[in-house]
Amino acid sequence: MLHSEDHRRLEMAIRCLEALCVTAKSFWRDIMDAGGIPALLELMRSTRPALQRMAAAVVCHISERTPVCEALVRYGAVPVLVNLLGSQQAELHSRCALMLADLAGHSDQYQSLIAQQGGVAPLVRLLGSDLHDVLVNTVRCIKALCVHSPGNQTAVALAGGIPQLVELLTVRSEMLQEEVCAALAELAKGHRENQDTICGAGAVAPLVLILRGRKMAAQVKAARALEAIADHNPAIQARFLKKSAAKHLLRLLKVFQVEAREQGAVSLWALAGHTLKQQRLMAEHIGYHFILELILSSSDRMQYVGCQAVIALSRDSRSHQDGLCKENGVPPLVRLLRGSRTTESTLLSVIRSLGILCIGGAHTNNPNSQRVIAEEQAIPTLLELVKHQESLQVKVQVAQTLACVLLGNQDLQTTFWEKEEFTYETVLELLRVPDQDICLEAGYALSLFAYNNTTQQAAILQNGGIPIAMYEPFLNSRNEMERIIKKREKNHLMATIVVLAKVITDTDQVTLSARGVTVLVDLLQSTNPNTVVLTAQLLASLAHTRAGIPDAIVTMGAVGHLYYQDNSFYNHQIALGYLTFNRHAHRLLLVECRNTPSMYDLLTQHLIEDAKISHIFTAEFERQKIVGLPSLSLEINGGPPVPQRNKKGTFCYAVHNYLNLFHIKVAIVFVASTYVRFVQKDKPHSWPVSVCRPLWEEQLGPSSPASTPEEQDSQPQG
């Protein structure tokens, strides 16, 4: 009957098919088997608007089926549907948009086909329609076209679709708002340009307004859009935070529906960004109670966010470490560690969070959290993961966490090495895998075991040690070192080299330590703030290791670089605090603090509770302050205020030059004496000229009139 010339028969046949499609859900297959798809498409190509509308209605009812989609594309439906989008019939607009949405949702190839046939521009034009159904189906189609399709995301933006979608957020229709939020989420997902365009079009305020409402479905969709728009985009994150979006997202964590809680958690963590300060603020905003609820939930995404919040709170913060232990935060983590359904990404976060709970600023240990983790029997579980996990990333992370749990805790170390079956051969094997990241992280794990522990350094050396060839490319290239620091924060490469200097084979520890410190101090001058922050953290850890390292750090001019960095970075203050125990650094810092008292306030105020500062240094400053600081005396007696100084042209800069020129002999004498003490015990009066000469010539030049290391050979060691 669909091929009949009688208009009445055609109309009745199409109406019957539509009624059958609605009443009998399986009737779509009968239509296909009878050859109904090509016949209906032929009617849609006709010039009769009534027949086009009725034929489109039948196809629209069955187009969600996968075989129907394949048949439609096979018989050339895409150009027909795109062409009908430009007609003057609103019903056709709505039905064709819905059919194209079904096709786009079925296959990535169909997404590309629709775009190639010119379907994006007419869809964007339909966003100006006044009809609700047309708008809803058009937005659905745009959303389906943009799923995992960067090309279509760009095409919609270039066609001017983003401002129109943002404008639709203010329409008083819950269904339309939900669809627009979903479309904006797909448009922004992984597309930085679209994120900025959406934010520039004014999407932040209406999205936050939807979050403030009471319609749960709309709130969840708005949270999803927020997540996609703010992901990896600090500027947009700041705009959402300024509008108090986090406060409204927290409400989603209190609802019963798992989907809503999950989306709320993920969106909150998208606003947390990738800086420790912002992540910690967000984790504190969430609070211990909800963090533990996230870890205890059945959702993998919620578990992951909970672990990330634990990491953000615990890093370098003993108060939060103790607080989480007091709130029984360790048992849920251990339960996830043992769970058979825990995904690898979440498992890695759990393992890492247990390790970070144990160490504070500058690699100081927390005996309380170490004890709690040991009492929860986490150590045997970690050892089981080392033995049976196939993932190398999991194995190396477990090694790092084990080292953190044992770090600086003599009682735990004694029990562990007596009872547990663990050897360094397991970690040393990871140094030989082809993956460079795994090798570097395995080296960092060994450095944690060896940190301020000569017994374990000897044990690592007995197991074969570490070949210098592994680190040689990085010692010779600042660019390689910067790349490693940028790529993965936990690859503390240079600090690893300095800590493991005694167990790295084929070189002597004095030369290796000097090279490692030199590279670290050089990295303090990097233009990348993340590199500078991490380097300051590493120097803070090295400043309280073996004797001689603080002298080397000071001699290379690290004090000046740390002192004139942005004082908002507490890692710099931690490093300076530990260096105040060094006589030379003490003198340099005291001179600067006397001349600029505000610097002393910044230094002491930014120290975290885990950090240390010399009481002799603080007492001396307070004593001199009572006597009268030069800068204050100048102002009291009518002189001008002391200007804040920049790095170059300052007294401190001159002092550092003086130190490099005239006190270099002190450092060389110290390095040489260390070399004699540990390396050349059988030659107590033999001076390592080959070790000292490169440093000397770098600072003074080969033709300097100052005394040379050779001339010093005839002088007493003192």
Side-chain angles (χ1 to χ4, degrees):
M1 292 178 66
L2 293 180
H3 297 285
S4 173
E5 295 294 334
D6 186 345
H7 182 273
R8 181 70 176 170
R9 288 170 61 84
L10 274 175
E11 182 178 342
M12 291 299 103
I14 298 172
R15 291 185 183 279
C16 287
L17 289 175
E18 183 178 4
L20 289 170
C21 289
V22 173
T23 55
K25 294 183 179 181
S26 61
F27 195 72
W28 61 271
R29 186 172 296 279
D30 298 323
I31 294 176
M32 281 189 59
D33 294 342
I37 300 297
L40 290 167
L41 286 176
E42 191 63 32
L43 290 173
M44 292 172 66
R45 292 189 184 98
S46 69
T47 57
R48 300 177 183 178
L51 293 178
Q52 287 177 327
R53 291 195 300 270
M54 289 187 289
V58 175
V59 178
C60 193
H61 283 301
I62 63 176
S63 61
E64 60 183 1
R65 309 287 181 176
T66 297
V68 175
C69 289
E70 294 172 351
L72 287 170
V73 173
R74 187 166 59 250
Y75 289 112
V78 172
V80 175
L81 296 173
V82 171
N83 184 57
L84 290 175
L85 290 176
S87 68
Q88 302 299 317
Q89 303 178 66
E91 286 185 54
L92 279 178
H93 295 164
S94 178
R95 291 168 181 170
C96 290
L98 186 56
M99 285 185 275
L100 287 172
D102 291 336
L103 293 175
H106 174 71
S107 168
D108 296 344
Q109 295 178 346
Y110 295 170
Q111 286 179 330
S112 302
L113 180 61
I114 294 169
Q116 291 169 6
Q117 295 291 332
V120 173
L123 284 168
V124 171
R125 284 195 294 270
L126 289 179
L127 292 175
S129 174
D130 295 329
L131 298 176
H132 182 268
D133 289 345
V134 174
L135 289 173
V136 169
N137 290 334
T138 301
V139 173
R140 284 176 180 169
C141 186
I142 290 174
K143 176 191 70 175
L145 284 173
C146 293
V147 176
H148 305 304
S149 178
N152 286 349
Q153 289 174 309
T154 302
V156 172
L158 292 176
I162 289 177
Q164 297 185 67
L165 286 169
V166 172
E167 187 178 353
L168 292 175
L169 285 173
T170 59
V171 175
R172 292 190 175 182
S173 166
E174 183 180 346
M175 179 183 293
L176 184 56
Q177 284 182 342
E178 291 178 24
E179 294 298 335
V180 171
C181 288
L184 288 174
E186 296 301 337
L187 270 168
K189 194 173 183 179
H191 201 294
R192 182 61 177 262
E193 292 78 10
N194 281 5
Q195 289 176 340
D196 295 335
T197 305
I198 292 170
C199 186
V204 173
L207 283 174
V208 174
L209 192 63
I210 295 173
L211 287 172
R212 290 176 56 186
R214 297 186 178 182
K215 303 294 184 181
M216 183 59 60
Q219 287 177 309
V220 173
K221 294 291 179 64
R224 183 184 171 198
L226 182 152
E227 175 200 353
I229 296 168
D231 186 40
H232 289 81
N233 199 318
I236 296 178
Q237 292 163 10
R239 295 187 65 171
F240 275 111
L241 290 172
K242 189 176 180 180
K243 292 285 186 180
S244 302
K247 179 179 69 175
H248 305 302
L249 287 171
L250 277 174
R251 292 165 51 199
L252 293 178
L253 298 182
K254 303 176 184 179
V255 302
F256 181 76
Q257 294 91 335
V258 175
E259 180 187 356
R261 294 206 310 273
E262 180 182 283
Q263 187 59 63
V266 173
S267 299
L268 276 169
W269 204 246
L271 289 181
H274 290 81
T275 64
L276 176 59
K277 181 179 179 181
Q278 192 167 325
Q279 287 182 345
R280 178 169 292 168
L281 287 173
M282 185 58 67
E284 290 173 348
H285 199 52
I286 296 172
Y288 293 157
H289 174 73
F290 285 119
I291 289 174
L292 296 182
E293 281 197 358
L294 293 175
I295 297 173
L296 289 167
S297 70
S298 58
S299 164
D300 176 69
R301 299 178 77 192
M302 293 169 70
Q303 292 168 357
Y304 177 81
V305 171
C307 293
Q308 291 297 314
V310 170
I311 291 171
L313 282 177
S314 304
R315 187 190 295 277
D316 301 337
S317 176
R318 179 163 296 188
S319 61
H320 281 306
Q321 292 169 359
D322 293 338
L324 285 165
C325 290
K326 186 177 179 180
E327 294 292 329
N328 293 320
V330 173
L333 290 171
V334 177
R335 192 188 74 170
L336 276 183
L337 193 67
R338 296 169 179 158
S340 58
R341 293 185 295 179
T342 306
T343 62
E344 184 173 327
S345 61
T346 302
L347 180 62
L348 286 170
S349 296
V350 173
I351 297 169
R352 193 178 177 202
S353 62
L354 288 172
I356 289 177
L357 275 169
C358 297
I359 57 175
H363 283 77
T364 55
N365 68 308
N366 187 331
N368 179 43
S369 54
Q370 289 174 325
R371 176 185 56 79
V372 173
I373 290 173
E375 289 176 352
E376 292 295 330
Q377 297 298 309
I379 293 177
T381 306
L382 291 170
L383 291 173
E384 286 296 316
L385 289 173
V386 170
K387 294 177 184 178
H388 302 111
Q389 260 286 340
E390 296 182 359
S391 170
L392 296 178
Q393 187 63 53
V394 171
K395 285 188 175 183
V396 77
Q397 189 63 63
V398 168
Q400 291 178 10
T401 296
L402 281 172
C404 291
V405 174
L406 301 176
L407 182 70
N409 193 317
Q410 192 61 45
D411 295 335
L412 271 181
Q413 289 179 18
T414 302
T415 305
F416 177 80
W417 294 111
E418 286 179 355
K419 295 183 178 180
E420 305 296 348
E421 297 180 359
F422 178 81
T423 63
Y424 285 120
E425 184 60 32
T426 304
V427 187
L428 291 170
E429 286 178 0
L430 296 172
L431 292 173
R432 297 188 280 270
V433 301
D435 190 331
Q436 188 183 71
D437 286 346
I438 297 296
C439 295
L440 293 173
E441 291 182 23
Y444 177 52
L446 289 173
S447 73
L448 288 172
F449 279 111
Y451 187 79
N452 283 345
N453 195 322
T454 54
T455 302
Q456 299 309 317
Q457 292 171 13
I460 295 171
L461 194 57
Q462 288 176 0
N463 279 272
I466 303 171
I468 185 59
M470 173 183 170
Y471 295 114
E472 200 65 48
F474 307 101
L475 285 167
N476 296 328
S477 172
R478 170 173 171 164
N479 291 334
E480 276 294 299
M481 180 57 192
E482 288 226 39
R483 182 184 66 80
I484 289 297
I485 285 184
K486 290 177 186 176
K487 186 173 182 181
R488 193 176 291 272
E489 181 184 319
K490 52 191 175 183
N491 282 334
H492 298 52
L493 182 58
M494 288 300 115
T496 298
I497 291 173
V498 177
V499 172
L500 294 176
K502 289 185 179 181
V503 301
I504 295 178
T505 58
D506 305 322
T507 186
D508 67 272
Q509 69 174 39
V510 176
T511 303
L512 195 57
S513 298
R515 293 175 71 184
V517 171
T518 301
V519 173
L520 280 174
V521 175
D522 184 45
L523 286 170
L524 284 176
Q525 305 172 63
S526 171
T527 56
N528 187 312
N530 294 329
T531 300
V532 176
V533 170
L534 179 58
T535 304
Q537 178 184 343
L538 302 180
L539 288 172
S541 299
L542 293 176
H544 63 106
T545 54
R546 63 181 183 273
I549 298 301
D551 287 285
I553 293 172
V554 175
T555 301
M556 294 308 300
V559 174
H561 298 310
L562 289 167
Y563 199 77
Y564 285 100
Q565 292 288 350
D566 186 349
N567 284 287
S568 64
F569 294 145
Y570 67 86
N571 284 316
H572 302 153
Q573 316 309 325
I574 297 174
L576 289 172
Y578 277 108
L579 286 175
T580 57
F581 292 92
N582 180 273
R583 182 167 45 185
H584 296 156
H586 173 111
R587 189 180 302 115
L588 287 172
L589 287 169
L590 192 58
V591 168
E592 281 301 316
C593 290
R594 288 175 68 245
N595 291 334
T596 312
S598 59
M599 289 293 188
Y600 176 83
D601 296 333
L602 288 172
L603 173 61
T604 54
Q605 289 170 7
H606 282 80
L607 282 176
I608 60 174
E609 57 184 330
D610 298 345
K612 293 183 179 180
I613 190 169
S614 171
H615 295 297
I616 298 175
F617 174 82
T618 55
E620 178 65 16
F621 178 82
E622 293 298 333
R623 185 188 69 79
Q624 295 194 21
K625 188 175 180 181
I626 294 173
V627 173
L629 299 177
S631 57
L632 296 180
S633 300
L634 182 65
E635 295 184 39
I636 290 171
N637 293 293
V642 177
Q644 296 297 323
R645 307 176 182 185
N646 55 22
K647 184 176 178 181
K648 294 186 178 179
T650 62
F651 177 74
C652 186
Y653 192 73
V655 170
H656 291 154
N657 288 336
Y658 173 84
L659 179 66
N660 286 334
L661 290 174
F662 296 100
H663 286 242
I664 195 71
K665 287 190 290 184
V666 176
I668 292 177
V669 167
F670 182 85
V671 170
S673 61
T674 306
Y675 185 92
V676 169
R677 186 186 305 170
F678 294 105
V679 180
Q680 297 189 348
K681 295 180 180 179
D682 57 333
K683 301 178 182 179
H685 298 292
S686 176
W687 289 81
V689 176
S690 61
V691 175
C692 302
R693 185 187 299 276
L695 182 60
W696 181 275
E697 292 183 349
E698 180 183 352
Q699 301 294 331
L700 301 178
S703 59
S704 172
S707 61
T708 63
E710 288 85 346
E711 294 173 358
Q712 295 180 15
D713 291 348
S714 61
Q715 300 176 4
Q717 182 173 344

